[in-house]
Structures are given as structure tokens and as C-alpha cells.
């Protein structure tokens, strides 16, 4: 890459990722506009009381917290489904695998929270991506037999979207490390 092209690329990334705490919802709106899931991003962050005056680091932390709650809720749903006596053998096996996948995803999101606290942004990216992979593996297990689909597929899709939001914010933190709270 030519030096001028590199300079332009750096300026674009910095301008996309340089958010200032600009009052209640302005930062949320600006940060969420950088994500693929803008509407979901704004809805979850505007509903979270601790995101109102947060900087980008704080928004990332809040989004990770929401992802942690979301993955925990899905785990509990799978656990309840598995305890249903009408579940056939194949479904039971898939749900057992899913419980393991979601436990791993829960652990990886917790590891992401810890990594974020230490500003280990590359580790955040690694752990969040691993959690997304575990969730996708759960959904894929149901496709081994025709006529089956994960009963938590829609919930998994929302988890994936929240993780995508986290990864977008985290990318901005990696590229700029701008306006972090200590």
C-alpha cells in the first residue's frame, strides 16, 4: 500500500472510531450507526441506564454485559426445553450438545469482559468470536437430521447480532483507543 493510501485508510478508521461522550444519546446514535444492527444497537443501549453518559469503552462494556445476560437466558431456555418429556432422542442429544456449547459461550463472554477490563482488545475479539462460533455450532447440530431446526435459532440470531455490535465497538477501540475511561 502506498504511504498516501495508508494515511487515508488510517484517517478513515480514526474518523469512524473517534467518538466523544457528547451527551445522553448522541454517542449511542453515532456509535450504533457504525454497526450492521443499528436499530438493535440503539434499542439495547438506550435501555441500559449505565450507557447514557458512557464513552465508547463504556458502551462496549455495556454491550458485553447485555451479551452475557442474553447467552445466560438462552442457556436457561435450552435447559428447560431439555427437561420437557416430549423431546425425542435426537432433539435431546442436540439440546445436550447445545447446553455444552452455550456454557462455553457463557465462559467466553465472561473472559471477554475480563479482557476488556484489562484493555486487551485483541483478546476481546478472540473470545467474542469463539462464543459466536459455539452458538452457531449448536444451531448446526439440528441440521444433521431433516425436519429439525434449533428451537433457540431466533434467540441465537439476536445473540449473534449483539456480539457483532460488541466486535464493531471493540474494533474501534483497537484502531483508535480513543476516549477510554480508566
Amino acid at each position: 500500500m502506498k504511504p498516501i493510501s495508508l494515511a487515508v485508510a488510517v484517517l478513515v478508521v480514526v474518523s469512524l472510531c473517534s467518538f466523544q461522550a457528547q451527551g445522553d444519546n448522541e454517542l449511542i446514535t453515532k456509535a450504533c450507526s457504525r454497526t450492521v444492527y443499528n436499530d438493535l444497537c440503539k434499542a439495547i443501549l438506550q435501555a441500559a441506564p449505565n450507557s447514557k453518559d458512557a464513552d465508547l469503552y463504556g458502551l462496549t462494556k455495556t454491550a458485553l454485559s447485555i451479551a452475557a445476560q442474553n447467552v445466560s437466558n438462552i442457556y436457561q431456555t435450552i435447559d428447560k426445553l431439555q427437561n420437557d418429556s416430549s423431546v425425542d432422542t435426537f432433539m435431546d442429544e442436540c439440546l445436550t450438545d447445545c447446553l455444552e456449547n452455550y456454557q462455553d459461550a457463557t465462559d467466553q463472554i465472561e473472559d471477554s469482559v475480563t479482557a476488556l477490563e484489562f484493555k486487551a482488545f485483541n483478546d476481546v475479539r478472540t473470545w467474542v468470536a469463539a462464543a459466536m462460533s459455539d452458538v452457531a455450532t449448536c444451531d448446526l447440530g439440528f441440521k444433521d437430521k431433516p425436519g429439525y431446526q434449533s428451537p433457540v435459532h431466533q434467540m441465537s440470531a439476536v445473540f449473534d447480532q449483539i456480539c457483532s455490535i460488541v466486535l464493531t465497538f471493540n474494533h474501534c477501540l483497537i484502531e483508535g483507543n480513543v476516549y477510554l475511561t480508566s
Side-chain angles (χ1 to χ4, degrees):
M1 186 179 269
K2 294 180 182 177
I4 192 80
S5 300
L6 181 59
V8 169
V10 169
L11 279 173
V12 168
V13 168
V14 169
S15 68
L16 288 176
C17 299
S18 296
F19 304 116
Q20 300 178 37
Q22 301 166 358
D24 289 349
N25 293 330
E26 190 174 339
L27 176 61
I28 292 172
T29 300
K30 205 171 191 183
C32 289
S33 72
R34 306 299 184 225
T35 70
V36 176
Y37 305 103
N38 182 30
D39 292 338
L40 175 64
C41 179
K42 287 191 290 190
I44 63 175
L45 291 176
Q46 288 172 347
N50 56 342
S51 67
K52 299 294 187 240
D53 294 318
D55 59 6
L56 183 59
Y57 175 87
L59 293 179
T60 307
K61 189 174 180 177
T62 299
L64 261 176
S65 175
I66 293 166
Q69 183 60 49
N70 185 268
V71 76
S72 175
N73 291 343
I74 299 170
Y75 180 91
Q76 291 170 7
T77 299
I78 295 169
D79 191 43
K80 287 178 188 171
L81 288 169
Q82 191 177 34
N83 291 324
D84 184 345
S85 60
S86 67
V87 171
D88 66 34
T89 304
F90 178 74
M91 180 70 81
D92 186 59
E93 290 170 1
C94 288
L95 291 171
T96 298
D97 290 344
C98 284
L99 282 174
E100 185 177 319
N101 290 126
Y102 272 89
Q103 182 58 57
D104 289 346
T106 299
D107 294 343
Q108 291 154 345
I109 293 297
E110 289 172 5
D111 290 341
S112 299
V113 170
T114 301
L116 184 64
E117 288 172 3
F118 287 98
K119 297 183 174 104
F121 303 121
N122 288 323
D123 291 344
V124 172
R125 179 179 54 208
T126 299
W127 289 120
V128 171
M132 293 170 78
S133 178
D134 278 325
V135 167
T137 300
C138 168
D139 282 351
L140 285 174
F142 290 92
K143 295 183 179 183
D144 288 343
K145 194 169 184 180
Y148 284 84
Q149 181 179 357
S150 169
V152 294
H153 176 71
Q154 294 292 59
M155 295 172 77
S156 301
V158 172
F159 173 75
D160 194 66
Q161 293 168 2
I162 295 167
C163 287
S164 174
I165 292 164
V166 170
L167 290 175
T168 299
F169 291 175
N170 188 66
H171 178 74
C172 290
L173 291 171
I174 289 171
E175 294 300 320
N177 290 338
V178 184
Y179 304 108
L180 302 180
T181 39
S182 9

